[in-house]
Amino acid sequence: MLEALICPRTQTTLSYDAERQELVSKAAGLAYPIRNGIPVMLVDEARRLD
């Protein structure tokens, strides 16, 4: 399923961070949370990468 998801801001692919339960967009510098097994693909809910 990961291959079907793209970053809503940059339209680029995402990588999965199993430890933090996030989908990471390196292009946007954002990490989208996965809550209860469901990716939350909202820019407002994403965490900025340091």
Side-chain angles (χ1 to χ4, degrees):
M1 182 172 151
L2 178 60
E3 296 84 26
L5 296 175
I6 58 170
C7 176
R9 176 167 281 169
T10 62
Q11 307 302 309
T12 58
T13 58
L14 301 166
S15 60
Y16 175 58
D17 183 341
E19 185 176 314
R20 290 184 172 225
Q21 287 295 294
E22 296 176 326
L23 295 174
V24 178
S25 171
K26 292 180 183 175
L30 297 172
Y32 299 95
I34 299 173
R35 295 187 185 130
N36 299 321
I38 301 170
V40 180
M41 302 303 295
L42 301 171
V43 174
D44 292 341
E45 294 288 323
R47 175 179 67 82
R48 285 231 168 258
L49 299 176
D50 296 332

